[in-house]
Amino acid sequence: LGRNFRKLGPVVLILFLLFLAATGFYQVEPGEVGVVRTLGKETGRTDPGLHFRIPLLQRVDVVDISEVRRIEVGFRGDQVKAAEAQMLTGDENMVQAQMIVQYRIADPSKYLFRLARPEDTLRATAEVVLRSVVGRMTIDDVITRGRGQVQTESLEELQRLMNTYESGIEI
């Protein structure tokens, strides 16, 4: 047994080192942040470059914080989603309102760990905010001269709610 171990020991060691090298290195690109978790708990962040993690003990989630993302409320592509788009104005008229929300990830930790599905939460919250703003205005204001006000109020209210949820999202 001793002789076999002496022969196999270096081979096992080399295989183990190759395993570490093959699975332990990861790349973070420019505009991204790596969130390092050790045994499930966040233990650090990594900047762009080549880094090493301890396989089986550490996990790294790479998040693109420079990308401007978007969601569509009231439509998807060229297809109108009537259930989302139809809204009641303050003077009790029906209007179809659609919105594009552009956002980026401001805090990767909050984005990854505070909400189960941050994009679904953002879409639902954006719909609620738009309904609320449209519901306080007359149909004439929503369609014509108050359009900018709808955008401004929606932006401010949506950002306030996403901050309350600690989503890590910047609208």
Side-chain angles (χ1 to χ4, degrees):
L1 183 65
R3 289 182 199 176
N4 288 339
F5 184 72
R6 285 185 190 147
K7 291 178 185 178
L8 291 178
V11 173
V12 170
L13 181 64
I14 289 172
L15 288 176
F16 180 72
L17 292 175
L18 285 174
F19 171 77
L20 283 178
T23 61
F25 288 99
Y26 66 96
Q27 177 76 28
V28 178
E29 299 294 330
E32 296 178 338
V33 172
V35 179
V36 181
R37 292 188 278 169
T38 304
L39 298 174
K41 182 179 179 183
E42 182 180 350
T43 55
R45 292 187 182 181
T46 56
D47 294 325
L50 185 63
H51 302 278
F52 183 77
R53 68 174 180 87
I54 303 168
L56 306 176
L57 294 180
Q58 290 183 321
R59 177 177 170 184
V60 178
D61 296 300
V62 178
V63 179
D64 190 343
I65 59 171
S66 65
E67 177 187 3
V68 176
R69 302 163 192 234
R70 66 181 257 166
I71 61 163
E72 300 165 337
V73 177
F75 71 104
R76 304 289 184 283
D78 59 351
Q79 184 179 13
V80 174
K81 299 289 185 181
E84 288 181 9
Q86 289 183 347
M87 300 180 189
L88 192 61
T89 63
D91 57 353
E92 298 181 6
N93 286 301
M94 292 295 290
V95 67
Q96 262 195 0
Q98 301 168 345
M99 175 170 63
I100 294 175
V101 178
Q102 292 183 324
Y103 68 98
R104 68 177 194 83
I105 299 169
D107 187 335
S109 297
K110 288 181 180 178
Y111 181 79
L112 290 170
F113 306 124
R114 296 288 183 186
L115 299 173
R117 293 187 314 263
E119 290 181 356
D120 292 345
T121 302
L122 178 59
R123 177 174 279 110
T125 305
E127 182 182 345
V128 168
V129 165
L130 185 58
R131 285 184 188 282
S132 173
V133 171
V134 167
R136 291 190 303 258
M137 303 178 84
T138 66
I139 193 167
D140 292 333
D141 288 341
V142 171
I143 294 174
T144 58
R145 62 185 177 270
R147 218 172 181 174
Q149 183 182 355
V150 170
Q151 292 174 349
T152 303
E153 287 182 26
S154 296
L155 171 68
E156 291 169 357
E157 181 68 14
L158 183 57
Q159 186 63 64
R160 186 188 67 73
L161 285 172
M162 295 311 287
N163 290 345
T164 300
Y165 300 156
E166 296 185 5
S167 65
I169 292 175
E170 179 184 348
I171 308 298

